[in-house]
């Protein structure tokens, strides 16, 4: 794509707010690179290649535009075109950079949506793993394991990650929760809360209503069946509903309560109804681990498959036991089944990864929040040729303001000339 065409799309975007017109200009400008009539299957072989000779060496500038274009296409429900943009974006990238990482994430998310929509689920999950393997092999990602693909990965602990934790390496507080006097009181408190366990009608469904947002607000997108919860710590928390459990957790598991209070996790009673499954997915970050204390676990006979009531983490199926704590890393791919006729109930706790230094936690969690905000703002700001318009991109990302009108963000930017590109604020003051 030549510079004039690129900037013509930018002008339509910023000056006229003609977003579909801008998308059309950019797609036409990329016709020499992409045949938009192709199906993505025509190009997926890139993720099975053993070398990087398939890279088309067109530079990271074009890759940045393809990433942005893919976001627009996804917003417009044009998934096929978006996948083409993302595949070619990865082919344009040279080694690791943010563009390559975001492109791989967006492509994987698009296929994970197929899993969630029950469209070729097994095929899609295998393709997600292939994309991660490709990204790892060609050093265009911070991932290190095909099963572990969170949106944010902390470098300082990524090499220590493992899918699940044996009993001898679990946090010491697991033993406290497993004490007979404690886990039975937790179970009994849950039963009293749910009217003896005979009815769950008053328990909120995960993701339903306004009872919580935060770290678990999108969990409902991966469930087939009936998944309900009572939040004790985290967004929408009601610790007074289970005073003994809440007090015990606050006293013995500060790693969970502090994470919840900072918006990175939750402590909940999690009720997975009969004939319910949670489809394969990965958590959002490797900063935390998850613990399940079994409270009510349906019996599985020898004739039934072990996976009828179990959780798969990476490539291993694990089962719950009443009064026992199971610890795993939910940034690894996992799925959950309860294909029995009775509900499965656990006390679920998210807590800080024990290998993550305590003095870095607040700073890194803030970095996660900032990264999400910047990623959202990038969806509204088309990239510009690199090294030329850094101040314009900062204005669009709300990292600075106009000294005259104090305006900021993409809606305040105007392209004044394409031949000799200059940008002004909407008030007329130059951005330089």
């Amino acid at each position: 794509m030549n510079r004039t065409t690129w900037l013509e799309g930018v002008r339509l975007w910023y000056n006229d707010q003609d977003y579909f017109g801008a998308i059309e200009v950019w797609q036409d400008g990329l016709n020499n690179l992409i045949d938009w009539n192709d199906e993505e299957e025509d190009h997926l072989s890139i993720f099975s290649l053993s070398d990087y000779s398939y890279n088309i060496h067109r530079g990271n500038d074009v890759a940045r535009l393809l990433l942005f274009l893919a976001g627009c296409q996804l917003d417009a429900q044009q998934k096929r075109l978006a996948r083409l943009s993302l595949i070619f974006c990865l082919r344009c990238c040279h080694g690791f950079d943010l563009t390559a990482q975001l492109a791989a994430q967006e492509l994987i998310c698009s296929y994970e949506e197929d899993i969630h929509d029950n469209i070729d689920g097994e095929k899609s999950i295998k393709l997600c793993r292939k994309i991660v393997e490709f990204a790892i092999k060609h050093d265009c990602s911070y991932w290190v394991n095909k099963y572990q693909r969170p949106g944010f990965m902390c470098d300082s602990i990524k090499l220590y990650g493992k899918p699940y934790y044996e009993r001898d390496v679990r946090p010491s507080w697991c033993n406290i929760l497993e004490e007979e006097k404690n886990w039975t009181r937790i179970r009994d408190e849950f039963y009293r809360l749910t009217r003896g366990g005979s009815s769950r009608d008053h328990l909120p469904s995960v993701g339903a209503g306004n009872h919580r947002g935060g770290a678990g607000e999108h969990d409902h997108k991966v469930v087939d069946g009936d998944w309900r919860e009572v939040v004790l710590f985290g967004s929408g928390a009601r610790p007074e509903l289970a005073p003994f459990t809440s007090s015990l957790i606050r006293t013995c598991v500060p790693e969970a309560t502090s994470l919840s209070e900072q918006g990175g996790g939750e402590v909940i009673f999690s009720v997975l109804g009969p004939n319910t499954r949670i489809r394969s997915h990965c958590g959002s970050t490797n900063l935390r681990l998850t613990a399940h204390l079994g409270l009510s676990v349906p019996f599985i006979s020898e004739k039934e498959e072990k996976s009828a009531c179990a959780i798969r983490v990476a490539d291993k199926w694990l089962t719950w036991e009443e009064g026992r704590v199971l610890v795993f890393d939910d940034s690894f791919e996992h799925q959950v089944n309860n294909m029995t006729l009775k509900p499965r109930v656990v006390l679920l706790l998210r807590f800080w990864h024990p290998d993550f230094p305590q003095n870095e936690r607040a700073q890194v969690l803030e970095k996660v929040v900032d990264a999400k905000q910047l990623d959202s703002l990038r969806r509204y700001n088309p990239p510009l040729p690199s090294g030329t318009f850094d101040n314009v991109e900062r204005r669009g990302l709300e990292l600075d303001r106009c000294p005259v009108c104090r305006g900021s963000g993409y809606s305040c930017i105007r392209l004044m000339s394409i031949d000799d590109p200059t940008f002004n604020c909407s008030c007329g003051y130059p951005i330089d």
Side-chain angles (χ1 to χ4, degrees), residues 6-7 34 43 57 67 87 97 114 118 128 136 143 147 177 182 194 211 218 260 279 311 316 325 364 422 429:
W6 186 333
L7 291 174
I34 303 174
H43 300 278
H57 298 295
L67 175 61
I87 290 168
D97 70 355
D114 286 354
N118 289 316
C128 289
I136 294 170
W143 295 314
Y147 289 108
L177 295 183
N182 289 329
T194 56
H211 74 287
H218 301 299
S260 298
R279 295 184 291 272
I311 178 171
K316 184 173 181 178
V325 176
V364 172
T422 56
Y429 194 83

Side-chain angles (χ1 to χ4, degrees), residues 253-278:
V253 198
E255 297 90 343
T257 54
S258 67
L259 180 64
S260 298
E261 288 164 357
Q262 294 180 64
E266 58 275 321
V267 176
I268 64 174
F269 287 120
S270 175
V271 184
L272 204 64
N275 294 311
T276 296
R277 66 188 182 103
I278 300 173

